[in-house]
Amino acid sequence: MSDNHRAEFLREFLRDPFTVAAVAPSGRPLADLVTAPVPGVGEPLVVELGPGTGAFTAAIQRRLAGRGRHLAVEVNERFAGLLAARYPRLDVAVADARDLGDVLAQRGHGRADVIVSGLPWAAFAGGQQDELLHAVTDALAPDGAFTTFGYTFARWTPPAQRLRRALGDRFEEVVTGRTVWANVPPAFVYSCRRPRVTARPRALVSLSR
């Protein structure tokens, strides 16, 4: 990640801290772990939620090496513009991650093979976390993988504990990875597989907003 991209990330944090919720993008060691489920063969559909300036985007692009489809869902228009200019093969949707089902349908996509999240979970209230996770499990293939991360220093805070419980409710397998001390700040990865059947249809989620 270049100094210009780090500066852009910091500017967007200062402009809208509740949406960006981090002062610096994730480092490559964390990105490599978060994107590990991206298959090395075939034509997978990989969805990235909250890519920011592209720390995970770059890792996904390296793993795909021109194969498959890579969709990034980013609510920040400035970040979306940067990503679209930097990665010509990337499909960037300026949208709320809670609308992932609609974004996929508009593009004629089925369920995703891998969903990678860079979303700031600690910045979301419980209801927002629930809606986001419903969107993820609705959009993920039964044999797909979902990965996200948390910061080690905040691991025992109420939002982090709520997220861990919610992941356990929605996936049959949730593996908590080791701490990546090289990241700033140190972070760890949640790797989730076998999504459970969602408790309510997407139409009811939309009506509840």
Side-chain angles (χ1 to χ4, degrees), residues 26-34 56 62 178 180-183 189:
S26 299
R28 182 162 178 172
L30 179 63
D32 287 343
L33 288 177
V34 169
F56 298 163
R62 286 194 298 270
R178 60 178 174 79
V180 182
W181 296 106
N183 199 70
V189 175

Side-chain angles (χ1 to χ4, degrees), residues 103-146:
V103 173
L104 290 172
Q106 290 164 5
R107 285 160 167 74
H109 293 323
R111 292 176 181 262
D113 298 293
V114 178
I115 299 179
V116 172
S117 172
L119 295 170
W121 295 100
F124 301 138
Q128 290 176 300
Q129 285 190 359
D130 287 342
E131 290 188 7
L132 286 164
L133 288 175
H134 275 296
V136 167
T137 53
D138 277 351
L140 189 63
D143 59 348
F146 170 64

Side-chain angles (χ1 to χ4, degrees), residues 8-29:
E8 183 70 26
F9 198 99
L10 179 58
R11 281 195 295 271
E12 290 303 298
F13 170 79
L14 294 173
R15 188 178 68 85
D16 190 357
F18 294 103
T19 298
V20 178
V23 296
S26 299
R28 182 162 178 172

Side-chain angles (χ1 to χ4, degrees), residues 1 10 13-14 40 51 53 67 85 94 124 135 137 170 195 200 206:
M1 186 68 63
L10 179 58
F13 170 79
L14 294 173
T53 55
R67 297 174 295 105
V94 181
F124 301 138
T137 53
R170 288 162 178 79
R200 52 181 174 160
S206 299

Side-chain angles (χ1 to χ4, degrees), residues 75-170:
V75 72
N76 184 298
E77 292 185 7
R78 291 170 66 92
F79 285 160
L82 286 172
L83 292 170
R86 195 179 312 147
Y87 302 104
R89 292 182 58 87
L90 178 65
D91 181 8
V92 184
V94 181
D96 190 311
R98 290 174 292 180
D99 297 324
L100 176 57
D102 293 334
V103 173
L104 290 172
Q106 290 164 5
R107 285 160 167 74
H109 293 323
R111 292 176 181 262
D113 298 293
V114 178
I115 299 179
V116 172
S117 172
L119 295 170
W121 295 100
F124 301 138
Q128 290 176 300
Q129 285 190 359
D130 287 342
E131 290 188 7
L132 286 164
L133 288 175
H134 275 296
V136 167
T137 53
D138 277 351
L140 189 63
D143 59 348
F146 170 64
T147 58
T148 189
F149 74 99
Y151 293 121
T152 301
F153 74 87
R155 192 166 181 167
W156 308 113
T157 62
Q161 290 290 293
R162 183 171 60 235
L163 173 62
R164 179 61 183 85
R165 289 192 298 270
L167 291 173
D169 289 340
R170 288 162 178 79

